[in-house]
Coordinates of all heavy atoms in Angstrom, one line a residue:
Y188 N 5.4 -1.9 -5.6 CA 6.5 -1.0 -5.7 C 6.3 0.0 -6.9 O 5.4 -0.2 -7.8 CB 7.9 -1.7 -6.0 CG 7.9 -2.4 -7.3 CD1 8.6 -1.8 -8.4 CD2 7.3 -3.6 -7.6 CE1 8.6 -2.3 -9.7 CE2 7.3 -4.2 -8.8 CZ 8.0 -3.5 -9.9 OH 8.0 -4.1 -11.1
G189 N 7.1 1.1 -6.9 CA 7.0 2.0 -8.0 C 7.4 3.4 -7.5 O 7.8 3.6 -6.3
V199 N 12.2 -3.3 1.2 CA 13.4 -3.8 0.6 C 13.8 -3.1 -0.7 O 14.9 -2.9 -0.9 CB 13.2 -5.4 0.4 CG1 12.1 -5.7 -0.6 CG2 14.5 -6.0 0.0
L200 N 12.8 -2.7 -1.4 CA 13.2 -2.1 -2.7 C 13.8 -0.7 -2.5 O 14.9 -0.5 -3.0 CB 12.0 -2.0 -3.7 CG 12.3 -1.4 -5.0 CD1 11.7 -2.2 -6.2 CD2 12.0 0.1 -5.1
P201 N 13.2 0.3 -1.8 CA 13.9 1.5 -1.6 C 15.2 1.4 -0.8 O 16.2 2.1 -1.1 CB 12.9 2.4 -0.8 CG 11.7 1.6 -0.6 CD 11.8 0.3 -1.3
A202 N 15.2 0.4 0.1 CA 16.4 0.1 0.9 C 17.6 -0.3 -0.1 O 18.6 0.4 -0.1 CB 16.2 -1.0 1.9
F203 N 17.3 -1.3 -1.0 CA 18.4 -1.7 -1.9 C 18.8 -0.6 -2.9 O 20.0 -0.4 -3.1 CB 17.9 -3.0 -2.6 CG 18.0 -4.3 -1.9 CD1 17.5 -5.5 -2.4 CD2 18.5 -4.3 -0.6 CE1 17.5 -6.7 -1.7 CE2 18.5 -5.5 0.2 CZ 18.1 -6.7 -0.4
I204 N 17.8 0.0 -3.5 CA 18.1 1.0 -4.5 C 18.9 2.2 -3.8 O 19.9 2.7 -4.3 CB 16.9 1.5 -5.3 CG1 16.4 0.4 -6.2 CG2 17.2 2.8 -6.1 CD1 15.3 0.7 -7.2
G205 N 18.4 2.6 -2.7 CA 19.0 3.7 -1.9 C 20.5 3.4 -1.6 O 21.4 4.2 -1.8
Q206 N 20.7 2.1 -1.2 CA 22.1 1.7 -0.8 C 22.9 1.7 -2.1 O 24.1 2.2 -2.0 CB 22.0 0.3 -0.2 CG 21.5 0.4 1.3 CD 20.8 -0.9 1.8 OE1 20.6 -1.9 1.0 NE2 20.6 -1.0 3.1
A207 N 22.4 1.2 -3.2 CA 23.2 1.2 -4.4 C 23.5 2.6 -4.8 O 24.7 2.9 -5.2 CB 22.4 0.5 -5.5
L208 N 22.6 3.5 -4.7 CA 22.9 4.9 -5.2 C 23.9 5.6 -4.3 O 24.7 6.4 -4.7 CB 21.6 5.7 -5.2 CG 20.6 5.4 -6.3 CD1 19.3 6.2 -6.1 CD2 21.2 5.8 -7.6
L213 N 24.3 -3.8 0.0 CA 22.9 -4.0 0.1 C 22.6 -5.0 1.3 O 23.1 -6.1 1.4 CB 22.3 -4.6 -1.2 CG 22.0 -3.6 -2.3 CD1 23.2 -2.9 -2.7 CD2 21.4 -4.4 -3.5
Y227 N 3.8 -4.0 -9.8 CA 4.1 -2.6 -10.1 C 2.8 -1.8 -9.8 O 1.7 -2.3 -10.0 CB 4.5 -2.5 -11.6 CG 4.8 -1.1 -12.0 CD1 6.0 -0.5 -11.4 CD2 4.1 -0.3 -12.8 CE1 6.3 0.8 -11.7 CE2 4.4 1.0 -13.1 CZ 5.5 1.5 -12.5 OH 5.9 2.8 -12.8
I255 N 9.9 -14.3 -6.1 CA 11.4 -14.3 -6.2 C 11.9 -14.3 -4.8 O 11.3 -13.8 -3.8 CB 11.8 -13.0 -7.0 CG1 13.3 -13.0 -7.2 CG2 11.4 -11.8 -6.3 CD1 13.8 -11.9 -8.1
K258 N 17.2 -12.8 -2.0 CA 18.6 -12.8 -2.5 C 18.6 -12.6 -4.0 O 19.4 -11.7 -4.5 CB 19.2 -14.2 -2.2 CG 20.7 -14.4 -2.6 CD 21.3 -15.5 -1.8 CE 22.8 -15.5 -1.9 NZ 23.3 -16.3 -3.0
E259 N 17.8 -13.3 -4.8 CA 17.7 -13.0 -6.2 C 17.3 -11.6 -6.5 O 17.8 -11.0 -7.5 CB 16.7 -14.0 -6.9 CG 17.2 -15.4 -7.0 CD 16.0 -16.4 -7.2 OE1 14.9 -16.1 -6.9 OE2 16.3 -17.5 -7.8
F260 N 16.4 -11.1 -5.7 CA 15.9 -9.7 -5.9 C 17.1 -8.7 -5.7 O 17.3 -7.8 -6.5 CB 14.8 -9.4 -4.9 CG 14.1 -8.1 -5.1 CD1 13.4 -7.8 -6.3 CD2 14.2 -7.1 -4.2 CE1 12.8 -6.6 -6.5 CE2 13.6 -5.9 -4.4 CZ 12.9 -5.6 -5.5
G261 N 17.9 -9.0 -4.7 CA 19.1 -8.1 -4.5 C 20.0 -8.2 -5.6 O 20.6 -7.2 -6.1
E262 N 20.2 -9.4 -6.2 CA 21.1 -9.6 -7.3 C 20.6 -8.8 -8.6 O 21.3 -8.2 -9.3 CB 21.3 -11.1 -7.7 CG 22.3 -11.7 -6.7 CD 22.1 -13.2 -6.5 OE1 21.2 -13.8 -7.2 OE2 22.8 -13.8 -5.7
E263 N 19.2 -8.8 -8.7 CA 18.6 -8.0 -9.8 C 18.9 -6.5 -9.6 O 19.2 -5.8 -10.6 CB 17.1 -8.2 -9.8 CG 16.7 -9.6 -10.5 CD 15.2 -9.7 -10.7 OE1 14.4 -8.7 -10.4 OE2 14.8 -10.8 -11.2
I264 N 18.8 -6.1 -8.4 CA 19.1 -4.6 -8.2 C 20.5 -4.3 -8.4 O 20.8 -3.2 -9.0 CB 18.6 -4.2 -6.7 CG1 17.2 -4.5 -6.5 CG2 19.0 -2.8 -6.4 CD1 16.2 -3.6 -7.2
I265 N 21.4 -5.2 -8.0 CA 22.8 -4.9 -8.3 C 23.1 -4.8 -9.8 O 23.8 -3.9 -10.3 CB 23.7 -6.1 -7.7 CG1 23.7 -5.9 -6.1 CG2 25.1 -6.1 -8.2 CD1 24.4 -7.0 -5.4
K266 N 22.5 -5.7 -10.6 CA 22.6 -5.7 -12.0 C 22.0 -4.4 -12.6 O 22.6 -3.7 -13.4 CB 21.9 -6.9 -12.6 CG 22.6 -7.4 -13.9 CD 22.1 -8.8 -14.3 CE 22.1 -8.8 -15.8 NZ 21.1 -9.8 -16.3
L267 N 20.8 -4.1 -12.1 CA 20.1 -2.9 -12.7 C 20.9 -1.6 -12.4 O 20.9 -0.8 -13.3 CB 18.7 -2.8 -12.0 CG 17.9 -1.6 -12.2 CD1 17.3 -1.6 -13.6 CD2 16.7 -1.5 -11.2
T268 N 21.4 -1.5 -11.2 CA 22.1 -0.2 -10.9 C 23.5 -0.2 -11.3 O 24.1 0.9 -11.3 CB 22.0 0.0 -9.3 OG1 22.6 -1.1 -8.7 CG2 20.5 0.1 -8.9
G269 N 24.1 -1.4 -11.6 CA 25.5 -1.4 -11.9 C 26.4 -1.1 -10.7 O 27.6 -0.8 -10.9
T270 N 25.9 -1.3 -9.5 CA 26.7 -1.0 -8.4 C 27.8 -2.0 -8.2 O 27.6 -3.2 -8.6 CB 25.9 -0.9 -7.1 OG1 26.8 -0.7 -6.0 CG2 25.1 -2.2 -6.9
S271 N 29.0 -1.6 -7.7 CA 30.0 -2.6 -7.4 C 29.9 -3.1 -6.0 O 30.8 -3.9 -5.5 CB 31.4 -2.0 -7.7 OG 31.5 -0.7 -7.0
Q272 N 28.9 -2.7 -5.3 CA 28.7 -3.2 -3.9 C 28.1 -4.6 -3.9 O 27.7 -5.1 -5.0 CB 27.8 -2.3 -3.1 CG 28.2 -0.8 -3.1 CD 29.5 -0.6 -2.5 OE1 29.8 -1.1 -1.4 NE2 30.4 0.2 -3.1
L274 N 25.8 -7.9 -1.7 CA 24.8 -8.2 -0.7 C 25.5 -8.7 0.6 O 26.4 -9.5 0.6 CB 23.9 -9.4 -1.1 CG 22.9 -9.1 -2.2 CD1 22.3 -10.5 -2.7 CD2 21.8 -8.2 -1.7
N305 N 6.0 -6.4 -16.2 CA 7.0 -7.4 -15.6 C 8.0 -6.7 -14.8 O 8.2 -5.4 -14.9 CB 7.6 -8.3 -16.7 CG 8.5 -7.5 -17.6 OD1 9.2 -6.6 -17.2 ND2 8.5 -7.8 -18.9
R306 N 8.7 -7.5 -13.9 CA 9.5 -6.8 -12.9 C 10.7 -6.0 -13.6 O 11.0 -5.0 -13.1 CB 10.1 -7.9 -12.0 CG 10.5 -7.3 -10.6 CD 10.8 -8.4 -9.6 NE 11.7 -9.4 -10.1 CZ 11.3 -10.7 -10.3 NH1 10.0 -11.1 -10.0 NH2 12.1 -11.6 -10.8
A307 N 11.2 -6.5 -14.6 CA 12.4 -5.8 -15.3 C 11.9 -4.4 -15.7 O 12.6 -3.4 -15.4 CB 12.9 -6.6 -16.5
D308 N 10.8 -4.3 -16.3 CA 10.3 -3.0 -16.8 C 9.9 -2.1 -15.6 O 10.3 -0.9 -15.5 CB 9.1 -3.1 -17.7 CG 9.4 -3.8 -19.0 OD1 10.6 -3.8 -19.3 OD2 8.5 -4.4 -19.7
G309 N 9.2 -2.7 -14.6 CA 8.8 -1.9 -13.4 C 10.0 -1.4 -12.7 O 10.0 -0.2 -12.2
L310 N 11.0 -2.2 -12.5 CA 12.2 -1.8 -11.7 C 12.9 -0.7 -12.4 O 13.4 0.2 -11.8 CB 13.1 -3.0 -11.5 CG 12.6 -4.0 -10.4 CD1 13.6 -5.1 -10.3 CD2 12.4 -3.3 -9.1
K311 N 13.0 -0.8 -13.8 CA 13.7 0.3 -14.5 C 13.0 1.6 -14.3 O 13.7 2.6 -14.0 CB 13.6 0.0 -16.0 CG 15.0 -0.5 -16.6 CD 14.9 -0.6 -18.1 CE 15.2 -2.1 -18.5 NZ 14.6 -2.6 -19.6
I312 N 11.7 1.7 -14.4 CA 10.9 2.9 -14.2 C 11.2 3.4 -12.8 O 11.4 4.6 -12.5 CB 9.4 2.7 -14.4 CG1 9.1 2.2 -15.8 CG2 8.6 4.0 -14.1 CD1 7.7 1.7 -16.0
T313 N 11.1 2.5 -11.8 CA 11.3 2.9 -10.4 C 12.7 3.4 -10.1 O 12.9 4.4 -9.4 CB 11.0 1.7 -9.5 OG1 9.7 1.2 -9.9 CG2 10.9 2.1 -8.0
Y314 N 13.7 2.8 -10.7 CA 15.1 3.2 -10.6 C 15.3 4.6 -11.2 O 15.9 5.5 -10.5 CB 16.0 2.2 -11.2 CG 17.5 2.5 -11.2 CD1 18.1 2.9 -10.0 CD2 18.3 2.4 -12.3 CE1 19.4 3.2 -9.9 CE2 19.6 2.7 -12.2 CZ 20.2 3.1 -11.0 OH 21.5 3.4 -11.0
E315 N 14.7 4.8 -12.3 CA 14.8 6.2 -12.9 C 14.2 7.2 -12.0 O 14.7 8.3 -11.9 CB 14.1 6.2 -14.3 CG 14.8 5.4 -15.4 CD 16.2 5.8 -15.6 OE1 16.5 7.0 -15.5 OE2 17.1 4.9 -15.7
Y316 N 13.1 6.9 -11.4 CA 12.4 7.8 -10.4 C 13.4 8.1 -9.3 O 13.6 9.3 -9.0 CB 11.1 7.2 -9.9 CG 10.7 7.9 -8.6 CD1 10.0 9.2 -8.7 CD2 10.9 7.4 -7.4 CE1 9.6 9.8 -7.6 CE2 10.5 8.1 -6.2 CZ 9.8 9.3 -6.3 OH 9.4 9.9 -5.2
F317 N 14.0 7.1 -8.7 CA 14.9 7.4 -7.6 C 16.1 8.2 -8.0 O 16.6 9.1 -7.3 CB 15.3 6.1 -6.9 CG 14.3 5.5 -5.9 CD1 13.7 4.3 -6.2 CD2 13.9 6.3 -4.8 CE1 12.7 3.8 -5.3 CE2 12.9 5.8 -4.0 CZ 12.3 4.5 -4.2
K318 N 16.6 7.9 -9.2 CA 17.7 8.7 -9.7 C 17.4 10.1 -10.0 O 18.2 11.0 -10.0 CB 18.2 8.0 -11.0 CG 19.2 6.9 -10.8 CD 20.1 6.6 -12.0 CE 19.3 6.2 -13.2 NZ 20.0 5.7 -14.3

Side-chain angles (χ1 to χ4, degrees):
Y188 69 98
V199 67
L200 182 138
F203 281 176
I204 291 189
Q206 287 157 348
L208 287 173
L213 277 59
Y227 186 64
I255 185 174
K258 185 160 192 267
E259 287 164 334
F260 187 65
E262 282 156 3
E263 282 189 2
I264 301 288
I265 287 175
K266 209 166 148 210
L267 171 74
T268 57
T270 176
S271 49
Q272 306 298 315
L274 284 171
N305 67 37
R306 202 171 47 249
D308 292 340
L310 284 181
K311 252 186 241 148
I312 301 169
T313 310
Y314 180 46
E315 289 308 317
Y316 164 78
F317 280 116
K318 275 200 299 188

